[in-house]
Amino acid sequence: ATVNLRALTSWVGIARLLAVVLSCLSFSLVASTGHFEGPYGTWCMFTWCFCFIVTLLVLLLELLELYPLLPLSWDDFTSAFSMLAALMVFTSSVVFPATFISSPCSSNRCARQAVATAASCLCFLAYAVEVSLTRAKPGDISSFLSTVPGLLKVFEAYVACLIFSLLDEYNGQSGLMWCVAVYSICFIFTLLIIIFTIGHCLTYVPCSLEKVLVGYNFLALLMYLTATVLWPLYSFRGRSRPDHCGTDCWWNKHLGVTFLTIFNLIAYLVDLVYSTRMVFFRAP
């Protein structure tokens, strides 16, 4: 193995080093408080630890130039991971203080939680900078997941995961079951596209893959359009918000699914526009 110091001294390398330090600081401070119980605390700790480990591994592989030995598209993998890490850390930066920091914040434990939250926000900015630096230039499609449609694929899959975490009380209602089917089908196909792209498997598809992706984006857009209408219609029709509606209240969860469905609808629309431009209006 040879040592490539540019993996640490380039702007992308510096952003990754900052992400490693800040994610380590976040989970270390929260772990020192011993107060991260429940699903939300576990999710935040997992996010910081996962991002720390994978980013450190990426740095080591690029430093020692061992990544060409891996049977995957390295540029696609790093682009997809940096986008996923940015989304995960952003979610944790919002969920953790909303769940665990109470006002007034005067204790030593609360101060450490506040510093951990600030470090998490800075970590999100580090990953966002990495995404910006590694994003493909207009007209460059050598690394699909670094293009705008590729990054949107990661966003769409992540938002679908958030929707699944909020699903509650949908059995027995045909409209809601159709919406769950939409979320599941689109998530599976989007995830397969990401995995096949990273694994160099898309070259074995015996058809024009770019046009297939445009067609898939169009169908996914139509399916999410129906879910955007049917989910709030069947969820809130004849049902008002309960007087005592806490964190696990069905009304809050269904409202969260409504907004996340709208976010994914917009993402698939932008994805369709960019994919169409890349396929049918490509500059010579």
Side-chain angles (χ1 to χ4, degrees), residues 12-232:
V12 175
I14 293 172
R16 289 170 178 166
L17 281 174
L18 288 174
V20 167
V21 173
L22 292 168
S23 59
C24 180
L25 180 62
S26 296
F27 75 72
S28 299
L29 286 172
V30 174
S32 68
T33 65
H35 184 54
F36 53 89
E37 65 279 354
Y40 295 117
T42 303
W43 162 255
C44 294
M45 286 293 286
F46 167 77
T47 294
W48 295 320
C49 293
F50 171 74
C51 294
F52 167 78
I53 293 172
V54 178
T55 306
L56 184 60
L57 183 62
V58 168
L59 280 173
L60 289 176
L61 290 174
E62 292 209 343
L63 178 65
L64 301 177
E65 292 191 343
L66 296 175
Y67 63 89
L69 302 176
L70 300 177
L72 50 82
S73 172
W74 183 251
D75 290 337
D76 284 312
F77 170 75
T78 53
S79 297
F81 169 72
S82 59
M83 183 64 177
L84 176 63
L87 295 171
M88 293 176 66
V89 173
F90 174 77
T91 305
S92 298
S93 301
V94 175
V95 170
F96 182 78
T99 306
F100 294 97
I101 298 181
S102 57
S103 182
C105 184
S106 56
S107 63
N108 179 266
R109 185 178 73 179
C110 185
R112 281 180 284 175
Q113 291 173 333
V115 174
T117 301
S120 182
C121 293
L122 293 175
C123 185
F124 159 71
L125 291 178
Y127 281 118
V129 169
E130 182 183 349
V131 171
S132 176
L133 291 173
T134 58
R135 187 171 69 86
K137 302 299 185 292
D140 181 13
I141 58 173
S142 59
S143 174
F144 172 70
L145 292 181
S146 64
T147 63
V148 173
L151 295 174
L152 284 172
K153 287 288 183 290
V154 181
F155 177 84
E156 292 154 5
Y158 182 75
V159 171
C161 289
L162 294 181
I163 291 175
F164 294 144
S165 69
L166 295 175
L167 289 179
D168 188 19
E169 297 183 9
Y170 61 86
N171 289 327
Q173 300 190 60
S174 57
L176 298 184
M177 293 179 69
W178 162 253
C179 294
V180 174
V182 169
Y183 304 143
S184 302
I185 293 172
C186 293
F187 169 75
I188 292 172
F189 276 95
T190 302
L191 185 62
L192 288 176
I193 291 171
I194 295 172
I195 294 174
F196 287 173
T197 301
I198 294 175
H200 284 303
C201 298
L202 293 179
T203 55
Y204 299 106
V205 178
C207 57
S208 177
L209 182 64
E210 295 174 340
K211 295 181 179 179
V212 170
L213 290 179
V214 172
Y216 163 70
N217 289 332
F218 180 72
L219 291 177
L221 177 65
L222 293 180
M223 294 173 69
Y224 259 91
L225 184 61
T226 62
T228 303
V229 176
L230 294 178
W231 181 266

